[in-house]
Coordinates of all heavy atoms in Angstrom, one line a residue:
G1 N 0.8 -1.2 0.0 CA 0.0 0.0 0.0 C 0.9 1.3 0.0 O 0.5 2.3 -0.6
V2 N 2.0 1.2 0.7 CA 2.9 2.4 0.7 C 3.3 2.6 -0.8 O 3.3 3.8 -1.2 CB 4.1 2.1 1.6 CG1 5.2 3.2 1.4 CG2 3.7 2.0 3.0
G3 N 3.7 1.6 -1.5 CA 4.1 1.8 -2.9 C 3.0 2.3 -3.7 O 3.2 3.1 -4.6
V4 N 1.8 1.8 -3.5 CA 0.6 2.3 -4.3 C 0.4 3.8 -4.1 O 0.3 4.5 -5.1 CB -0.7 1.5 -3.9 CG1 -1.9 2.1 -4.4 CG2 -0.6 0.0 -4.2
V5 N 0.4 4.2 -2.9 CA 0.2 5.7 -2.6 C 1.3 6.5 -3.2 O 1.0 7.5 -3.9 CB 0.0 5.9 -1.1 CG1 -0.1 7.4 -0.8 CG2 -1.3 5.2 -0.6
I6 N 2.5 6.1 -2.9 CA 3.7 6.9 -3.5 C 3.6 7.0 -5.0 O 3.7 8.1 -5.6 CB 5.0 6.3 -3.0 CG1 5.3 6.6 -1.6 CG2 6.2 6.8 -3.9 CD1 5.6 8.0 -1.2
C7 N 3.4 5.9 -5.6 CA 3.4 5.8 -7.1 C 2.2 6.6 -7.6 O 2.3 7.3 -8.7 CB 3.3 4.4 -7.6 SG 4.9 3.5 -7.3
L8 N 1.0 6.5 -7.0 CA -0.2 7.3 -7.5 C 0.1 8.8 -7.3 O -0.2 9.6 -8.3 CB -1.4 6.9 -6.7 CG -2.2 5.7 -7.2 CD1 -3.3 5.3 -6.2 CD2 -2.8 6.0 -8.6
V9 N 0.6 9.2 -6.2 CA 0.8 10.6 -6.0 C 1.8 11.2 -7.0 O 1.6 12.2 -7.6 CB 1.3 10.9 -4.5 CG1 1.8 12.3 -4.3 CG2 0.2 10.6 -3.5
Q10 N 2.9 10.5 -7.2 CA 3.9 10.9 -8.2 C 3.4 10.9 -9.6 O 3.6 11.7 -10.4 CB 5.2 10.1 -8.0 CG 5.9 10.3 -6.7 CD 6.3 11.8 -6.6 OE1 6.8 12.4 -7.4 NE2 6.0 12.3 -5.4
G11 N 2.7 9.8 -9.9 CA 2.1 9.6 -11.3 C 1.1 10.7 -11.6 O 1.1 11.3 -12.7
M12 N 0.3 11.1 -10.6 CA -0.7 12.2 -10.8 C 0.1 13.5 -11.0 O -0.3 14.4 -11.8 CB -1.6 12.3 -9.7 CG -2.7 11.3 -9.8 SD -4.2 11.6 -8.8 CE -4.5 13.3 -9.0
K13 N 1.1 13.7 -10.3 CA 1.9 15.0 -10.4 C 2.5 15.1 -11.8 O 2.5 16.2 -12.4 CB 3.0 15.0 -9.3 CG 3.8 16.3 -9.3 CD 5.0 16.2 -8.4 CE 4.7 15.9 -6.9 NZ 5.9 16.0 -6.1
L14 N 3.0 14.0 -12.3 CA 3.7 14.0 -13.6 C 2.7 13.9 -14.8 O 3.0 14.4 -15.9 CB 4.7 12.8 -13.7 CG 5.8 12.9 -12.7 CD1 6.6 11.6 -12.6 CD2 6.7 14.1 -12.9
L15 N 1.6 13.2 -14.6 CA 0.7 12.9 -15.8 C -0.7 13.5 -15.7 O -1.4 13.6 -16.7 CB 0.5 11.4 -15.9 CG 1.7 10.5 -16.1 CD1 1.4 9.0 -16.0 CD2 2.4 10.8 -17.4
G16 N -1.1 14.0 -14.5 CA -2.4 14.5 -14.4 C -3.3 13.3 -13.9 O -3.0 12.1 -14.1
P17 N -4.5 13.6 -13.3 CA -5.3 12.6 -12.7 C -5.9 11.6 -13.7 O -5.8 10.4 -13.4 CB -6.4 13.4 -12.0 CG -6.2 14.8 -12.2 CD -5.0 15.0 -13.0
T18 N -6.5 12.0 -14.7 CA -7.2 11.1 -15.6 C -6.3 10.2 -16.3 O -6.5 8.9 -16.4 CB -8.1 11.9 -16.7 OG1 -8.9 12.8 -16.0 CG2 -8.9 10.9 -17.5
Y19 N -5.2 10.7 -16.8 CA -4.2 9.9 -17.5 C -3.6 8.9 -16.6 O -3.4 7.7 -16.9 CB -3.2 10.8 -18.2 CG -2.3 10.1 -19.2 CD1 -2.8 9.2 -20.1 CD2 -0.9 10.4 -19.2 CE1 -1.9 8.6 -21.0 CE2 -0.1 9.8 -20.1 CZ -0.6 8.9 -21.0 OH 0.3 8.3 -21.9
A20 N -3.2 9.3 -15.4 CA -2.5 8.5 -14.4 C -3.5 7.4 -14.0 O -3.1 6.2 -13.9 CB -2.0 9.3 -13.2
I21 N -4.7 7.7 -13.6 CA -5.7 6.7 -13.2 C -6.0 5.7 -14.3 O -6.1 4.5 -14.0 CB -7.0 7.4 -12.6 CG1 -6.7 8.1 -11.3 CG2 -8.1 6.3 -12.5 CD1 -6.3 7.1 -10.2
S22 N -6.1 6.2 -15.5 CA -6.3 5.3 -16.7 C -5.2 4.2 -16.8 O -5.5 3.0 -17.0 CB -6.4 6.1 -18.0 OG -7.4 6.9 -17.9
I23 N -4.0 4.7 -16.6 CA -2.9 3.7 -16.7 C -2.8 2.8 -15.5 O -2.6 1.6 -15.7 CB -1.5 4.5 -16.8 CG1 -1.5 5.2 -18.2 CG2 -0.3 3.6 -16.7 CD1 -0.4 6.2 -18.4
V24 N -3.1 3.3 -14.3 CA -3.1 2.5 -13.1 C -4.2 1.4 -13.3 O -3.9 0.2 -13.0 CB -3.4 3.3 -11.9 CG1 -3.8 2.5 -10.7 CG2 -2.2 4.2 -11.6
L25 N -5.4 1.7 -13.7 CA -6.4 0.8 -13.8 C -6.1 -0.3 -14.9 O -6.5 -1.4 -14.8 CB -7.8 1.5 -14.1 CG -8.3 2.3 -12.9 CD1 -9.6 3.0 -13.3 CD2 -8.5 1.4 -11.7
T26 N -5.5 0.2 -16.0 CA -5.2 -0.8 -17.1 C -4.1 -1.7 -16.5 O -4.2 -2.9 -16.8 CB -4.6 0.0 -18.3 OG1 -5.7 0.9 -18.7 CG2 -4.3 -1.0 -19.4
A27 N -3.1 -1.2 -15.8 CA -2.1 -2.1 -15.3 C -2.7 -3.1 -14.3 O -2.3 -4.2 -14.2 CB -1.0 -1.2 -14.6
Q28 N -3.6 -2.6 -13.5 CA -4.2 -3.4 -12.5 C -5.0 -4.5 -13.1 O -4.9 -5.7 -12.8 CB -5.2 -2.5 -11.6 CG -5.9 -3.3 -10.5 CD -6.7 -2.3 -9.7 OE1 -6.9 -1.2 -9.9 NE2 -7.4 -2.9 -8.6
L29 N -5.8 -4.2 -14.2 CA -6.5 -5.2 -14.9 C -5.6 -6.2 -15.6 O -5.8 -7.4 -15.5 CB -7.4 -4.6 -16.0 CG -8.2 -5.5 -16.9 CD1 -9.2 -6.3 -16.0 CD2 -8.9 -4.7 -17.9
S30 N -4.5 -5.7 -16.2 CA -3.5 -6.6 -16.9 C -2.9 -7.6 -15.9 O -2.7 -8.8 -16.2 CB -2.5 -5.8 -17.6 OG -3.1 -4.9 -18.6
F31 N -2.4 -7.1 -14.8 CA -1.8 -8.0 -13.8 C -2.8 -8.9 -13.2 O -2.4 -10.1 -12.9 CB -1.0 -7.2 -12.8 CG 0.4 -6.7 -13.3 CD1 0.5 -5.4 -13.8 CD2 1.4 -7.6 -13.3 CE1 1.7 -5.0 -14.3 CE2 2.7 -7.2 -13.8 CZ 2.8 -5.9 -14.3
A32 N -4.0 -8.5 -12.9 CA -5.0 -9.4 -12.4 C -5.2 -10.5 -13.4 O -5.4 -11.7 -13.0 CB -6.3 -8.6 -12.1
L33 N -5.3 -10.2 -14.6 CA -5.5 -11.2 -15.7 C -4.3 -12.2 -15.7 O -4.5 -13.4 -15.8 CB -5.7 -10.5 -17.1 CG -5.8 -11.4 -18.3 CD1 -7.0 -12.3 -18.2 CD2 -5.9 -10.6 -19.5
L34 N -3.1 -11.7 -15.6 CA -1.9 -12.5 -15.5 C -2.0 -13.4 -14.3 O -1.8 -14.7 -14.5 CB -0.7 -11.6 -15.5 CG 0.7 -12.4 -15.4 CD1 1.0 -13.2 -16.7 CD2 1.8 -11.4 -15.1

């Protein structure tokens, strides 16, 4: 969870909320499928 929060905060800072969340959710779905 520490990694999740750190990465989300930094990702949003660098990419913006919508783009960052879109990538996070796609990665989450891809790894869940794997």
Side-chain angles (χ1 to χ4, degrees):
V2 171
V4 170
V5 174
I6 286 288
C7 292
L8 273 171
V9 167
Q10 292 302 313
M12 282 196 43
K13 186 189 299 185
L14 298 169
L15 301 172
T18 307
Y19 192 42
I21 290 293
S22 298
I23 292 170
V24 166
L25 294 178
T26 303
Q28 185 178 359
L29 178 63
S30 299
F31 279 97
L33 177 60
L34 176 69

